[in-house]
């Protein structure tokens, strides 16, 4: 934690804790709480003397703190269902110069998944490819920041009928999410894997995938993902011919 342990009291001391905690805690915390934390960082960072901010691995300069907070806020907006506001927020993050590569990949990846779920496959594919290219250049191919890009690319591949590529990408994303214990990407992966089974004409296995995730002990996903899961479950039930359960799900 660099000089954080020797920093004196003051408002600047709390900014790195809040900002650095957002990308990590986001996967467990509720979107509203993340949004509030990000807003607090963005409101305070310009009013604090940079010399009062502890140096945490060189990542806590004001510009980096703003990027982390803005990226977390953009994610929270998407999970709260405000797609347009989230898209604008991510675009603003990506317009910044000299973004620290992990934050850059996080923003591109999340935007790719947002666009994939919004049905904008070409745009989603472009963002996912760019995210993975930035990750490759930064030697962070297996970084957690790439999970959303892989999930987005898998979604696009499945929609285009490229089931083998989608299978590979989903497996890669699942390995990273499991290794880093990230419940939200695991929930998205379960939904996308269930859809993959539906595309492969195996709706019963898609239902089993959703059941496995539901009983895995992971915390409930954000509401937007839960709504998507329920919609996918209905499609799978229709695929098995169980219309009555599909209507009630």
């Amino acid at each position: 934690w660099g000089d954080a342990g020797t920093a004196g009291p003051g408002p600047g001391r709390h900014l790195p804790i809040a900002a650095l905690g957002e990308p990590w805690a986001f996967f467990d915390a509720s979107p509203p709480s993340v949004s509030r934390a990000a807003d607090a960082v963005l409101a305070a960072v310009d009013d604090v003397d940079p010399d009062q901010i502890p140096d945490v691995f060189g990542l806590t300069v004001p510009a980096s703190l703003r990027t982390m907070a803005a990226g977390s806020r953009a994610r929270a907006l998407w999970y709260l269902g405000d797609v347009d506001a989230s898209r604008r927020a991510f675009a603003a993050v990506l317009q910044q110069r000299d973004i620290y590569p992990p934050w850059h990949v996080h923003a591109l990846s999340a935007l790719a998944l947002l666009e994939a779920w919004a049905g904008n496959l070409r745009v989603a594919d472009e963002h996912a490819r760019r995210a993975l290219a930035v990750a490759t250049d930064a030697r962070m191919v297996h970084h957690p920041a790439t999970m959303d890009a892989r999930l987005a690319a898998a979604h696009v591949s499945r929609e285009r009928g490229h089931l083998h590529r989608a299978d590979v990408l989903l497996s890669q994303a699942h390995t990273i999410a499991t290794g880093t214990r990230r419940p939200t990407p695991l929930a998205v992966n379960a939904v996308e894997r269930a859809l993959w089974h539906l595309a492969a004409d195996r709706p019963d296995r898609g239902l089993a995938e959703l059941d496995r995730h539901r009983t895995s002990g992971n915390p409930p996903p954000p509401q937007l993902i839960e709504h998507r899961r329920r919609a996918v479950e209905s499609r799978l039930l229709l695929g098995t011919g169980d219309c009555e359960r599909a209507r009630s799900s």
Side-chain angles (χ1 to χ4, degrees):
W1 287 89
D3 299 327
T6 60
R13 186 177 184 179
H14 303 289
L15 285 176
I17 298 172
L20 287 170
E22 287 161 16
W24 301 332
F26 180 77
F27 296 97
D28 298 310
S30 67
S33 66
V34 173
S35 184
R36 287 193 297 271
D39 287 341
V41 172
L42 292 170
V45 67
D46 289 329
D47 295 328
V48 174
D49 184 345
D51 292 336
Q52 293 183 357
I53 303 176
D55 180 11
V56 182
F57 304 130
L59 302 179
T60 54
V61 296
S64 186
L65 292 174
R66 279 192 293 271
T67 299
M68 285 186 280
S72 294
R73 183 175 181 276
R75 281 179 174 268
L77 286 168
W78 181 49
Y79 284 171
L80 289 169
D82 196 339
V83 174
D84 289 338
S86 177
R87 183 184 286 117
R88 290 193 298 271
F90 277 125
V93 170
L94 293 171
Q95 287 175 358
Q96 299 177 28
R97 295 182 178 179
D98 301 322
I99 304 176
Y100 182 55
W103 313 150
H104 192 182
V105 177
H106 267 298
L108 279 170
S109 294
L111 185 56
L113 187 55
L114 178 154
E115 297 294 3
W117 278 21
N120 302 318
L121 300 185
R122 182 184 60 79
V123 177
D125 190 45
E126 289 175 357
H127 288 317
R129 289 178 183 276
R130 186 178 167 203
L132 294 173
V134 172
T136 299
D137 290 343
R139 298 183 179 181
M140 46 180 284
V141 174
H142 302 294
H143 193 281
T146 65
M147 285 186 291
D148 284 347
R150 297 178 197 277
L151 291 167
H155 181 101
V156 172
S157 295
R158 174 181 52 75
E159 287 287 338
R160 292 175 174 173
H162 306 311
L163 294 187
H164 176 70
R165 182 169 187 266
D167 180 34
V168 171
L169 288 162
L170 287 173
S171 296
Q172 292 173 349
H174 187 269
T175 297
I176 298 171
T178 301
T180 54
R181 299 182 181 180
R182 298 290 170 85
T184 299
L186 282 171
V188 175
N189 193 284
V191 170
E192 288 293 333
R193 177 58 77 179
L195 285 168
W196 186 92
H197 283 302
L198 182 62
D201 199 25
R202 297 185 294 205
D204 54 330
R205 295 186 64 175
L207 289 169
E209 179 72 32
L210 294 181
D211 285 340
R212 275 194 299 273
H213 182 265
R214 188 164 36 234
T215 59
S216 65
N218 285 316
Q223 190 174 44
L224 179 140
I225 296 172
E226 175 59 17
H227 287 168
R228 178 62 65 105
R229 184 201 66 78
R230 292 177 63 182
V232 169
E233 185 177 47
S234 294
R235 291 177 60 185
L236 291 164
L237 287 167
L238 287 173
T240 64
D242 195 339
C243 297
E244 184 174 344
R245 282 186 62 197
R247 281 194 295 267
S248 61
S249 65

